Every structure is written in structure tokens, then in C-alpha cells.
Amino acid sequence: MSKVLPKRSDDYSLWYNELVKRADLAENAPVRGCMIIKPYGYSIWEKMQAVLDKMFKETGHSNAYFPLFIPKSYLSKEASHIDGFAKECAVVTHYRLKNDENGKGIIVDPEAKLDEELIVRPTSETVIWNTYKTWIQSHRDLPLLINQWANVVRWEMRTRLFLRTTEFLWQEGHTAHATKQEAIVETEQMMNVYATFAQNFMALPVHRGIKSANERFAGAEETYCIEALMQDGKALQAGTSHFLGQNFAKAFDVKFASKEGSLEYVWGTSWGVSTRLMGALIMAHSDDEGLVLPPLLAPIQVVIVPIFKTAEQLDLIEATLKPILAALKAKDISVKFDHSDKYSPGFKFAEYELKGVPLRVAIGARDIENGTVELARRDTKEKTTVPQEGLADTIEKLLQEIQENIYKKAFAYREANTFVADDYTTFKTMLDETPGFILAHWDGTPETEEKIKEETKATIRCIPLDVTSEPGICMVTGKPSAQRVLFARAY
Amino acid sequence: MSKVLPKRSDDYSLWYNELVKRADLAENAPVRGCMIIKPYGYSIWEKMQAVLDKMFKETGHSNAYFPLFIPKSYLSKEASHIDGFAKECAVVTHYRLKNDENGKGIIVDPEAKLDEELIVRPTSETVIWNTYKTWIQSHRDLPLLINQWANVVRWEMRTRLFLRTTEFLWQEGHTAHATKQEAIVETEQMMNVYATFAQNFMALPVHRGIKSANERFAGAEETYCIEALMQDGKALQAGTSHFLGQNFAKAFDVKFASKEGSLEYVWGTSWGVSTRLMGALIMAHSDDEGLVLPPLLAPIQVVIVPIFKTAEQLDLIEATLKPILAALKAKDISVKFDHSDKYSPGFKFAEYELKGVPLRVAIGARDIENGTVELARRDTKEKTTVPQEGLADTIEKLLQEIQENIYKKAFAYREANTFVADDYTTFKTMLDETPGFILAHWDGTPETEEKIKEETKATIRCIPLDVTSEPGICMVTGKPSAQRVLFARAY
Ligand SMILES: [Zn+2]
Ligand SMILES: [Zn+2]
């Protein structure tokens, strides 16, 4: 704990990696590219899950569970899906181990080879639409609004904790509808649910938009997304919602009898967010002292550190705190009273700063005399001495203020790092000198997008739905452009 | 829905399979032995999870997440663990698919062979203790109290929905302690948590006990368990809690510096319950009309079915119900008001009976006149007409009564089907003629237990901790026995 974190300005990437480990969020697993989510990190993920799950249920969705394994042949059923997902994945070929006859320990039993290999799900459209075929017969069975919380595996070559890991945790919604219009409304609704969650809980401003064809989900007709800006000026896709058209219905022959009696293909959507959100949360707000957590997602919202030398002093502090702790509990504010004598107050201060606890209360002998405590905000590092009287109310208000302030700060950062480029030279200079979002005109072709990506490593993050823009001409080809799109280098 | 269920007395096994499918709990997945948990079934599992998770946290545990894949070599590190788990498991050998050059679709890329095969976790002791080695240095790091909710895979040859599936969902607690005594207290505590959950929420009476050596978890020094009796007289192990001694600490070299400064091996426990509990819940209480759910785990506790012919009648019913629905909501009672006109009331009655909704409220034109409703209990099938006034209170009381009654019924069944055998002939006759639990004396040797198992298919479910018994002589060998143990044929 004595070792300080690397500075963001020196090495952002190293800062992130060290922060994730030292704040007890996650660490690398022995299996390449997999991660272990530590209790503190997992408790943040649990808070995210709880809020999202409630939002999904409030919009009419139910949870279910589909199998981990997908028969290899399923992946080939939807033509474009296979190109996107049937590549880097974990393949189960055998179902038994045995003791080697030559004493070489346990080996894979060659006689236990599967007839058809199984793929560890990289996403579950195929197995779910194969099931929907039997669940959907009539318009009465629609809409079918299902979500699943699960682990998925994509054999990534370059991995980073939370941001890109071989195995990750996520939720995947899969819905089926009678009409195209209803499926599009669902797709947009879930993008909006994600945006609301990001903004109101993660304190993360996001752009809502539509992906270009190049960046679209394999098997979708349209991919909606939310895009956020990290503190190094790189963008991060925080959630996607796909309008699948009738692609999977056709691939798996899912039809329904309409009210009028005709047999029609079902319209589909899918949408997901993952433990990648943890990476976004960490990178968007944290500083060189450690994590900065928005109170609504902080496992510990308030930590109370007593400053004492004798057991009598501690007793007195505890007696003073008793009604305050009860009042905080009544307000459902999560408090940790750290009265252990294993570590010094200074050590504890640094530790809770590292872990992003939004508010710290220190109370010592002089505070007892004065009827005060010292409050320290994690976001601004401001310290104030306030009366013990009405402390729970003070804290409640302050937590709201911190939540808002973290959002405002991230919003101001994004505004300050969103630029407009009218020509390609300026665009390239900006990417290197003032990394951030760039609004620029593009001719709408995959070729031009590909050229830009190859030459600059920047991609179209989205065709924003929430930025108004004049028509113009493509910065690369000079061809007409209906509106500016959002470029950035991205995670 | 018109088709009736098979009768328990005709074919218990068929009854169970049909019930699971027809009540929308689960179905078989395309991958052999895997299951799809349908929304209604999953919502029951979610209720179980929520209660258990709260109980784990109240006893000081935190959740975390460890990887799905375990390097093959890890499984061999604990000598007896390997025999139990390194057998029937899913083996990942490759990490890439590719398009076949001969146009045969997608094939496994032979160049993407893993250096070391990965096992899809059958349980996570090995990967977790490998991690604990770095997490535990000092007595300050202990106890370490961690739980994980996860999917696991055991390549079972004979599978049945919920009871035994290749992939299943579970929680696995893994704790580390400074002393043997503390680890044993933890092991017993978690057995008691499981027993409390089974009895108070699942309405399932269970015996607490210790497994014989033959039935012990591979790698444990002692396995504690809870054992329940199903309606066909077969026992079901509903949860286990293992005292691991220092076995995994030694296998993975996990030591801590004690307060006195010596370096010592850590003491461990692990404990788990799985979606198997769903099977226990279904089999313990349900009847020939369908599921019977204890109110505390029922996704829908009360269903209200309006009986109406005209829209005006429905309007009147809805107006009458409005304050009642509000009062039920205020009591946190989950209610479904099924006013759809897709199905007839009779159809709905059968449907909710099949799905085990504890209480049905019917309300029609005459009830509106009389200020009454008709209540129908799922557990006893009693119908009563009660006043609308105070209905929420009436329902609240009735739900408690139903919860208690379901437990009492299961308890009475167990009592009526628990027998005492003093000689082996009687024992064998009982197993065939009056299946249930049998308390009998056993000489304590694995050989005798094995002989009994081979000859009768009955196993020692546990050496009960909650049944007092006189010493005696083994029914098979005549050797001395300290106490009667609990035998049964089991799932
Ligand atoms: Zn925007
Ligand atoms: Zn008992």
C-alpha cells in the first residue's frame, strides 16, 4: 500500500493495470486471458447487475438460462454470424480424462471424442433461436422478452482486465416480435436503458448512435450503441443493442401464425452489456490516488475512521457514533466503521482512497469535545469539519452531490475533448495531439471508413442520434455526407 | 394444457419429467445432458438465490468470480480430488475454427491446439486454492470467506432435468481459516444455513449429518450434508459442506504467518447447493395436478382470475380490485391479475394449478354483488368464499398458513416413511415394500457399506447428527455399532 500508483499522465495503460490490481478489483487467472474478479470488484459488478436487472424487469423482460455449449454446426446457420463468431473460440472435443498407462499422469482419453465438437458460447443467438422455434407458434406467444446473465468465451489474442478478456460475464437479452416496428422500438428502448444506466448510475455521459456497417454485429441489420470517452481520449463502446431483422428467424425457421392466420417469420433483437462496464467505470473517473466511484455503485459509500489512542477513547467514539450509524442505516446508506487496530489511520485513509470510497468520516478526541467530525470527499478531495448533529442528512446530501459532480466532471471532460474536423489533415493531427471524439463528415461507404481506420487507427464510433449536424462533404473523398459522424480511437 | 399429467402412483419418474416440462420449468437442450431453464423455472431459482445470497452475506461471506477453465495439471495436484473429478469432464483442446478448404463448412483448426488442455470446471477448489496462495500471507488475511455463483460441468452419462445435468448452476463457497476448529465451525455453520433454508423457505424437512467415507467429497476430511425424502421414498442430497482439513493448502502450498510468527498451512472448507434444489422442491411437494410451491419461493404468490362476460363487468371487477391490489402490493405479496381474454377461466385455473401458484382468487358478478371473492388454496384444494373487506390481511395469513402446511405435510410424510430395521432381511424387504429412510446399525466399515450398496442399491445417506440412537450391532456383520445411520435409495 506504501507504493504509489503510476501517474495517468506518465503511462495511462500501466496506471489502469496497476489500479485494477491494487484496488482489489481483479487479477489475471492462470489461464491466459481469463480473469479472477476479486470480492471488492465483484461487489461493484453486483451493484451494476442489480440495477440493470431491475430495469430489464421493469421493461417486461424475464430471465432464463441457456446452455454453455453450442454444437459447432449451429454457428454456421446464420451466414454472417459465422464470420463474426465462428473463429476464435474455445472448442470442446473430448469428455473424459484418464490415467496414462505409462504413468504420465492424467491424459485426455482418445476414446472419449465427441461426434460433434462443442463451442463454448461466444454469444447465444444460435442456441436461443433454435429454442424459440419450439416456443413460438402463434402471435399469442409474442413478444417473447428474455434475458440471461451468463459467462461467455471469445479467444482474444490481446487481453486486458475487464476491457477484453477471454472469459467475461455479461447479460444478453434476446427478444422476438410479431412486427418489424415493434422489434425496432425494443432495440431502441434497450439502448436507452443502457444510456440511462450509464448516465444515472455510472455517472458516465454517453452518446447514443448507430454503428456503421463495418462495425455492426455479425447477423444484425442494425446495431445501436452507447459510446463513452475515457480520460486518455480513447472511446469505449459501453453497450450494444441489435435489430436482427428476420435473420435468425430465417436461419432457424422460427415462424408464427399471425392474427390473420398467415405464417410469418419472427422479428428479433439482442442486446448486451458486460464486465467491460467495470473498465469504463474505472477509466472514466479514477485519478492518480486510485478509484473514484459514483456513490450509487459504491459497495461502501461512507467509511468512518476513528482516531484513537486508548480503548476508552474508542469507546467514547463508538458511543457517539451509535445514533449516527443507526440514522445512516435507516437511510440505506452503506457504511463501514473501520475500528480495527491492525492499521494506522493514515494507512486506512490511503487504502479507502485507493478503493474509491466516496466519503470518509474521521472522528477523534477533539471532535468528541467539539461535537464535530471531519468529512473528506473522494471526488474533490475537499475536507470540511461539520457538526455531528444532522450528520446523516449532511452525508445523504453530500453523496447526491458527489454523484452529480462526478457526472459533471466527466461530461465537461468529454465536451472539452470533442472536436470538429473539416479536413483529413486536421483530423489526423487532432487524433495525435488532442485525442478525443472528432465529429467529421464521411461519405457513408465502408471503403472510406476502412481507409481511415488503416491510416489513423480511428474508427467510426457511431452515427450519433443525439448530435445535430449540418450536411457536408466527406473529409476524405469530398463526396456528399448527410451528417457528421463520431470518430475516435477506441478500446 | 388439456392433457392431464401422468399420475405419481403410475409412474413417478414420468410424472416428474412431464411436470418439469409442462409447468414451464425446464427442458432438454440440444447438447446432450444440458438443460434450458425456462423463465418460470428460472424465476424460482432466482428466489432461491436471493435468499441464500442474503444468508451467506449475513454470515460474513463475499462473492467473487473465478475462471471457467482449469488447466488440466491443476486437477492432479490434490491426490484424492483427481479420482473424484478428473474423469468425466468437458475438455477444451483447441481455440479456433476455420473454413474447411474442401468446402465442408467450419472445422476445428488443427493448428490451434492448446499446449495444455483446459477442463471446464467441475468444481473450483483447485483454481481457487491456487489463487489463495497469493491472497493469504498472514493471519491478518484470515479468515477468507468467499462464495461464487457459477455454472459447472460434469459429463454425466444418465441425466435428468435439474437432478443430474451435464451443466448446472450452483454456488460454491470456499473459505480459509487459521485453525482447524474455526474451519470445522464454518463447515457446520454452512450445513445449518442450508438446513434452515430448506426448512424455512423450501418447506422441506431435512436431516443433518455426516457422510460415510465412501460418500465423502474427493479431497475432504469430512463431508456434512442435508438429506431430504422425496414422495417416492427415495432420498435426495440437497446440500453439502466439506471440511477440507489442510489438503488443498498442502496441494497448493498455502501457508500463513501466525501471530506467533510461525508459518502454517491454512485450513479450508467448501460448500455448495445447486439447481438440483429445484428438483427437490418439485418432487417433495407437487401432486398429480401439478406443482405445489411454498409461498416464500413462489414467483406468483396469488393469482386473481376475473369471471366476466362483458367489458362493463370487467371494469367493475377492476374497480373493486384496485384497493385490494394496492394493499397486497404494500405487503410485498406478488400478485398476478390475469384479465386476458385469450383463455377461459377454467383453462386459467388449470394452468395456475399446474404452475403451483399457492392461492387463487376468483371474482365474478355475484361476488361483486355480495362483496366477496372465492379463494382456492393450491396445497389443500380447499375453496372458501370470503369478504373483500380485509382481503389483503386474509391472504397474508393464508400464505403463512400454506407455507407451514406444506412443511407439515412433508414432515408427516417423512415421519411415516422412516423405519427402523434391526436385521438385514427386514431391511431389504422394507426397501422394496415401503421405500423411505431406514435407521439401521452399521459396523462403520467401507466394506460393509459397499456390500449393502451392491446388494440393495441403498446407501448410507448420512450418520445423522439430529437423531439420537442407542448403540447396537451391525445388521450385516453383527459387529458393534455406535449409533444407527440413515439408509435409503437415493437420487
Ligand atoms: Zn450524445
Ligand atoms: Zn433429522
Side-chain angles (χ1 to χ4, degrees):
Chain A
M1 219 45 48
S2 53
K3 228 179 82 195
V4 294
L5 278 177
K7 284 195 194 315
R8 284 165 295 171
S9 55
D10 287 347
D11 189 337
Y12 190 80
S13 182
L14 184 64
W15 165 82
Y16 174 79
N17 293 344
E18 284 294 303
L19 174 54
V20 168
K21 284 174 205 167
R22 303 232 329 254
D24 281 338
L25 301 173
E27 63 184 43
N28 290 305
V31 174
R32 209 194 55 78
C34 289
M35 67 177 158
I36 292 163
I37 307 180
K38 299 180 80 172
Y40 190 63
Y42 198 84
S43 66
I44 300 171
W45 175 241
E46 278 182 311
K47 293 218 147 224
M48 290 186 174
Q49 283 188 298
V51 175
L52 285 165
D53 197 68
K54 189 158 176 277
M55 293 174 90
F56 299 156
K57 283 174 178 156
E58 281 168 358
T59 44
H61 303 87
S62 302
N63 290 328
Y65 189 76
F66 293 85
L68 174 68
F69 298 130
I70 299 179
K72 194 188 66 180
S73 59
Y74 278 41
L75 288 185
S76 355
K77 291 199 181 178
E78 205 286 325
S80 53
H81 195 63
I82 184 176
D83 292 333
F85 288 101
K87 280 176 182 162
E88 313 295 328
C89 42
V91 186
V92 176
T93 56
H94 292 74
Y95 59 85
R96 196 187 305 133
L97 298 170
K98 65 168 193 175
N99 277 308
D100 183 27
E101 287 153 14
N102 305 317
K104 289 188 178 166
I106 48 169
I107 58 165
V108 177
D109 185 345
E111 286 175 24
K113 194 172 186 309
L114 290 167
D115 291 336
E116 180 179 0
E117 295 90 350
L118 299 175
I119 311 305
V120 179
R121 62 183 162 217
T123 182
S124 303
E125 276 77 7
T126 55
V127 68
I128 288 181
W129 280 88
N130 181 69
T131 306
Y132 282 2
K133 182 179 169 54
T134 64
W135 290 5
I136 299 168
Q137 313 293 336
S138 143
H139 63 93
R140 288 185 184 183
D141 302 320
L142 297 174
L144 188 56
L145 306 173
I146 289 183
N147 176 60
Q148 125 167 319
W149 291 95
N151 54 344
V152 286
V153 171
R154 298 176 188 176
W155 207 270
E156 301 287 352
M157 286 299 129
R158 292 170 156 215
T159 60
R160 288 188 75 187
L161 291 167
F162 290 125
L163 295 171
R164 193 176 296 279
T165 49
T166 299
E167 181 192 16
F168 56 93
L169 304 184
W170 80 344
Q171 60 70 217
E172 45 181 326
H174 296 274
T175 71
H177 306 265
T179 69
K180 179 178 181 177
Q181 183 53 28
E182 193 184 291
I184 291 175
V185 167
E186 166 79 8
T187 313
E188 289 174 348
Q189 171 185 255
M190 299 323 290
M191 170 190 65
N192 289 327
V193 163
Y194 290 152
T196 301
F197 173 73
Q199 294 178 180
N200 295 0
F201 292 86
M202 295 176 67
L204 187 67
V206 293
H207 282 296
R208 301 166 206 223
I210 296 177
K211 286 286 182 193
S212 61
N214 284 7
E215 302 280 327
R216 200 179 281 153
F217 175 77
E221 304 254 297
E222 201 81 276
T223 288
Y224 293 72
C225 63
I226 57 169
E227 293 283 331
L229 194 63
M230 302 296 102
Q231 290 181 70
D232 59 350
K234 283 172 81 174
L236 186 144
Q237 174 182 298
T240 48
S241 183
H242 314 293
F243 168 60
L244 303 175
Q246 294 174 316
N247 292 344
F248 285 90
K250 285 178 178 166
F252 289 90
D253 196 30
V254 186
K255 291 177 184 165
F256 72 101
S258 73
K259 272 182 191 159
E260 295 72 31
S262 61
L263 219 52
E264 290 172 28
Y265 283 115
V266 168
W267 298 86
T269 86
S270 68
W271 31 275
V273 294
S274 72
T275 35
R276 191 160 216 245
L277 288 180
M278 291 288 295
L281 185 74
I282 297 159
M283 287 205 299
H285 306 308
S286 303
D287 63 23
D288 294 348
E289 278 73 47
L291 214 52
V292 173
L293 290 176
L296 289 176
L297 295 178
I300 304 166
Q301 295 177 308
V302 181
V303 64
I304 305 181
V305 178
I307 321 283
F308 62 98
K309 285 190 183 124
T310 66
E312 289 70 36
Q313 284 178 334
L314 181 58
D315 284 347
L316 203 58
I317 291 171
E318 290 194 359
T320 306
L321 287 175
K322 207 176 167 191
I324 295 169
L325 288 170
L328 289 169
K329 198 181 172 188
K331 288 180 187 288
D332 234 353
I333 293 170
S334 73
V335 183
K336 179 171 177 180
F337 174 44
D338 185 352
H339 59 277
S340 86
D341 54 5
K342 287 184 190 172
Y343 303 102
S344 71
F347 182 94
K348 290 178 187 174
F349 286 7
E351 173 74 10
Y352 293 113
E353 213 164 66
L354 179 63
K355 292 204 166 171
V357 176
L359 201 57
R360 182 182 77 216
V361 179
I363 177 165
R366 188 169 309 166
D367 292 303
I368 298 290
E369 278 171 36
N370 299 343
T372 57
V373 301
E374 185 194 71
L375 294 183
R377 281 174 67 153
R378 178 64 185 88
D379 60 333
T380 59
K381 302 204 181 68
E382 279 177 282
K383 288 183 196 170
T384 47
T385 297
V386 302
Q388 287 163 14
E389 183 156 355
L391 186 59
D393 288 330
T394 310
I395 285 173
E396 186 178 35
K397 265 183 229 140
L398 213 43
L399 288 174
Q400 282 168 16
E401 205 178 305
I402 293 170
Q403 179 80 27
E404 285 161 23
N405 181 56
I406 294 176
Y407 178 81
K408 276 184 202 154
K409 198 175 160 190
F411 188 83
Y413 171 81
R414 191 185 74 173
E415 291 304 288
N417 291 281
T418 299
F419 308 98
V420 173
D422 283 319
D423 64 90
Y424 197 32
T425 309
T426 307
F427 178 86
K428 286 188 266 192
T429 309
M430 279 176 174
L431 281 174
D432 288 331
E433 295 182 1
T434 56
F437 279 135
I438 305 180
L439 285 161
H441 283 293
W442 159 63
D443 64 17
T445 67
E447 295 73 27
T448 303
E449 181 178 7
E450 191 56 36
K451 177 183 156 75
I452 297 170
K453 186 177 177 180
E454 272 170 25
E455 291 174 356
T456 68
K457 290 184 188 150
T459 49
I460 298 176
R461 301 319 304 153
C462 68
I463 302 157
L465 293 166
D466 55 8
V467 176
T468 53
S469 131
E470 78 296 352
I473 56 162
C474 175
M475 64 175 170
V476 178
T477 62
K479 290 182 190 161
S481 150
Q483 71 163 105
R484 288 181 191 272
V485 300
L486 203 63
F487 285 92
R489 289 184 183 141
Y491 279 95
Chain B
M1 219 45 48
S2 53
K3 229 178 83 197
V4 295
L5 279 176
K7 284 195 193 315
R8 285 166 294 173
S9 54
D10 287 347
D11 189 338
Y12 190 80
S13 183
L14 184 65
W15 164 81
Y16 174 79
N17 293 344
E18 284 293 301
L19 174 54
V20 168
K21 284 173 204 167
R22 303 235 327 256
D24 281 337
L25 301 173
E27 63 185 44
N28 290 304
V31 173
R32 208 193 55 79
C34 289
M35 68 178 158
I36 293 163
I37 307 180
K38 299 180 80 173
Y40 190 63
Y42 198 85
S43 66
I44 300 171
W45 175 241
E46 278 183 310
K47 292 216 147 226
M48 290 186 173
Q49 282 188 299
V51 175
L52 286 166
D53 196 69
K54 189 159 177 277
M55 293 175 90
F56 299 156
K57 284 176 178 156
E58 282 168 357
T59 43
H61 303 87
S62 302
N63 288 329
Y65 189 76
F66 293 86
L68 175 67
F69 297 130
I70 298 178
K72 192 188 67 179
S73 59
Y74 278 42
L75 289 184
S76 354
K77 292 199 179 178
E78 205 286 325
S80 54
H81 194 63
I82 184 177
D83 291 333
F85 289 101
K87 280 176 182 162
E88 314 294 329
C89 42
V91 186
V92 176
T93 56
H94 292 75
Y95 59 85
R96 196 187 305 133
L97 298 170
K98 64 168 193 175
N99 277 308
D100 183 27
E101 288 153 15
N102 306 317
K104 288 188 180 167
I106 47 169
I107 58 165
V108 178
D109 185 345
E111 286 175 22
K113 194 172 187 307
L114 290 166
D115 291 336
E116 181 179 1
E117 296 90 350
L118 299 175
I119 310 306
V120 179
R121 63 182 161 216
T123 181
S124 302
E125 276 78 6
T126 56
V127 69
I128 288 181
W129 280 88
N130 182 69
T131 305
Y132 282 2
K133 181 179 169 54
T134 64
W135 290 5
I136 299 168
Q137 312 293 336
S138 142
H139 63 93
R140 288 184 184 184
D141 302 319
L142 297 174
L144 186 57
L145 306 173
I146 289 183
N147 176 60
Q148 121 167 325
W149 290 95
N151 54 344
V152 285
V153 170
R154 298 176 188 176
W155 207 270
E156 301 286 353
M157 286 300 130
R158 290 168 158 218
T159 61
R160 289 188 75 187
L161 291 168
F162 290 125
L163 295 171
R164 194 176 297 276
T165 50
T166 299
E167 181 192 16
F168 57 92
L169 304 183
W170 79 345
Q171 60 68 217
E172 44 181 326
H174 296 273
T175 71
H177 305 265
T179 67
K180 178 178 181 176
Q181 183 52 28
E182 193 184 291
I184 291 175
V185 167
E186 165 79 8
T187 313
E188 289 173 349
Q189 171 184 255
M190 299 322 290
M191 170 190 66
N192 289 328
V193 163
Y194 291 152
T196 302
F197 173 74
Q199 293 178 179
N200 294 0
F201 292 87
M202 294 176 66
L204 188 66
V206 293
H207 281 297
R208 302 166 206 221
I210 295 176
K211 286 287 182 194
S212 61
N214 284 7
E215 302 279 327
R216 200 178 281 154
F217 175 77
E221 304 256 298
E222 201 81 275
T223 288
Y224 293 72
C225 64
I226 57 170
E227 294 282 331
L229 194 62
M230 302 295 103
Q231 289 181 71
D232 59 349
K234 283 172 82 174
L236 186 144
Q237 174 181 299
T240 49
S241 182
H242 315 293
F243 168 60
L244 303 175
Q246 295 174 315
N247 292 344
F248 284 90
K250 285 178 179 166
F252 290 90
D253 195 31
V254 187
K255 291 177 183 164
F256 73 100
S258 73
K259 273 183 191 159
E260 295 72 31
S262 60
L263 218 53
E264 290 172 27
Y265 283 114
V266 168
W267 299 86
T269 86
S270 68
W271 30 274
V273 294
S274 73
T275 35
R276 191 161 216 243
L277 287 181
M278 291 287 295
L281 185 74
I282 297 159
M283 287 205 301
H285 306 308
S286 303
D287 63 24
D288 294 348
E289 278 73 48
L291 213 53
V292 173
L293 291 176
L296 289 175
L297 295 178
I300 303 166
Q301 295 177 307
V302 181
V303 64
I304 304 182
V305 179
I307 320 283
F308 62 99
K309 285 190 184 126
T310 66
E312 289 70 36
Q313 284 177 334
L314 181 57
D315 284 347
L316 203 58
I317 291 171
E318 290 194 358
T320 305
L321 286 176
K322 207 176 166 190
I324 296 168
L325 288 170
L328 289 169
K329 199 182 171 188
K331 288 179 186 287
D332 234 352
I333 293 171
S334 73
V335 183
K336 179 171 178 179
F337 174 43
D338 185 352
H339 60 276
S340 86
D341 55 4
K342 287 185 190 170
Y343 303 101
S344 71
F347 182 95
K348 290 177 186 173
F349 286 7
E351 174 74 11
Y352 294 113
E353 214 163 66
L354 180 62
K355 292 204 165 170
V357 175
L359 201 57
R360 182 181 78 217
V361 179
I363 176 166
R366 188 170 307 166
D367 292 303
I368 298 290
E369 278 171 35
N370 298 344
T372 57
V373 300
E374 186 195 70
L375 294 181
R377 281 174 67 153
R378 177 64 185 88
D379 60 333
T380 59
K381 301 204 180 68
E382 279 176 283
K383 288 183 196 171
T384 47
T385 297
V386 303
Q388 288 163 12
E389 184 156 354
L391 187 58
D393 288 331
T394 310
I395 285 174
E396 187 179 34
K397 264 183 230 142
L398 213 42
L399 288 174
Q400 283 168 14
E401 205 178 306
I402 293 170
Q403 180 80 27
E404 285 161 23
N405 181 57
I406 294 176
Y407 178 81
K408 276 183 202 155
K409 197 175 160 191
F411 188 84
Y413 171 81
R414 190 184 76 173
E415 292 304 289
N417 292 281
T418 298
F419 307 97
V420 173
D422 283 318
D423 65 273
Y424 197 33
T425 310
T426 307
F427 179 85
K428 287 189 265 193
T429 309
M430 278 176 175
L431 280 174
D432 288 330
E433 294 182 3
T434 56
F437 279 134
I438 305 180
L439 286 160
H441 282 293
W442 158 65
D443 63 17
T445 67
E447 295 73 28
T448 303
E449 181 177 8
E450 191 55 37
K451 176 183 157 74
I452 296 170
K453 186 177 178 181
E454 271 170 27
E455 290 173 358
T456 68
K457 291 183 187 150
T459 49
I460 298 177
R461 302 318 304 153
C462 67
I463 301 156
L465 294 166
D466 56 7
V467 175
T468 52
S469 131
E470 78 295 352
I473 56 163
C474 174
M475 64 175 170
V476 178
T477 62
K479 291 182 189 161
S481 150
Q483 70 163 105
R484 289 181 190 272
V485 299
L486 204 61
F487 284 91
R489 288 183 183 141
Y491 280 96

